[in-house]
């Protein structure tokens, strides 16, 4: 890969990686850091990365960085009495998008990545498999499980009288 191909990769893939990172992490600043780190790693590994697989390489690098970020944040303790999760059963005034974000947070990282890549970014199963190092069948199974878990989580957060039939 050369400098021209690198610049094209930045133009072509930075927005998609950013959207993926924002949805995965729920934080724009951290997502920007992930995107920047991905392209820094790409720059440092230009000779090793095949230009035809740069998209999969970038998304895999982003996925790994996001999983590491989530793990690192999980080890940190809240710094005050106001940190932590609220009681969703007591307060149902959240917007649907807030409920969806909370449901996504409940998914394991791999399922969350597959769900976001497929349903948000629109990637085909085969390409998701390349990004995450899975075969197409595994991608379909994890996607099914993610959707099922998300549905159950959303149903548990919404009172019975507010569920649309």
């Amino acid at each position: 890969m050369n400098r021209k191909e690198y610049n094209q990769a930045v133009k072509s893939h930075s927005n998609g990686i950013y959207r993926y990172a924002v949805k995965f992490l729920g934080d724009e600043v951290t997502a920007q850091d992930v995107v920047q780190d991905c392209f820094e790693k790409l720059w440092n590994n230009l000779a090793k990365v095949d230009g035809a697989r740069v998209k999969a390489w970038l998304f895999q690098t982003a996925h790994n960085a996001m999983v590491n970020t989530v793990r690192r944040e999980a080890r940190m303790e809240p710094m005050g009495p106001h940190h932590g999760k609220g009681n969703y059963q007591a307060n149902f005034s959240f917007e649907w998008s807030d409920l969806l974000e909370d449901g996504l947070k409940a998914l394991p990282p791999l399922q969350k990545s597959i769900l976001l890549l497929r349903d948000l970014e629109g990637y085909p199963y085969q390409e998701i498999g390349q990004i995450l190092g899975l075969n197409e069948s595994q991608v379909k199974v994890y996607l099914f499980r993610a959707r099922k878990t998300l549905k159950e989580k959303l149903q548990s957060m919404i009172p019975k009288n507010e569920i649309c039939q």
Side-chain angles (χ1 to χ4, degrees), residues 1 5 13 15 22 38-39 45 47 56 59 62 75 79-81 96 102 109 112 118 125 132 134 136 140 155 162-163:
M1 176 172 232
E5 291 172 327
H13 306 300
N15 288 334
V22 166
C38 286
F39 285 105
N45 292 295
F59 274 89
R75 288 191 303 257
M79 295 178 50
W96 279 103
D102 290 337
K112 185 177 182 179
R118 178 69 181 163
Y125 299 117
L132 300 175
L134 303 169
E136 195 172 326
K140 290 177 182 180
Q155 286 176 338
E162 289 189 26
I163 297 176

Side-chain angles (χ1 to χ4, degrees), residues 87-143:
N87 183 355
Y88 296 114
Q89 298 299 327
N91 185 0
F92 297 107
S93 63
F94 287 108
E95 297 285 332
W96 279 103
S97 61
D98 293 334
L99 290 172
L100 184 59
E101 292 295 324
D102 290 337
L104 285 172
K105 289 177 185 174
L107 294 175
L110 184 60
Q111 289 182 11
K112 185 177 182 179
S113 292
I114 291 170
L115 185 74
L116 291 173
L117 288 170
R118 178 69 181 163
D119 293 344
L120 180 69
E121 296 296 324
Y123 287 106
Y125 299 117
Q126 183 179 10
E127 199 164 346
I128 294 170
Q130 289 176 345
I131 291 169
L132 300 175
L134 303 169
N135 65 44
E136 195 172 326
S137 298
Q138 290 172 310
V139 171
K140 290 177 182 180
V141 168
Y142 284 126
L143 181 62

Side-chain angles (χ1 to χ4, degrees), residues 9 12 15 22 34 36-37 51 53 61 63 74 76-77 79 84 95 107 131 133 137 142 148 150 163:
S12 299
N15 288 334
V22 166
V34 166
Q36 185 173 358
D37 289 344
R53 285 199 24 89
T61 302
H63 171 75
M76 294 180 179
E77 292 187 33
M79 295 178 50
E95 297 285 332
L107 294 175
I131 291 169
S137 298
Y142 284 126
K148 182 179 176 186
L150 184 60
I163 297 176

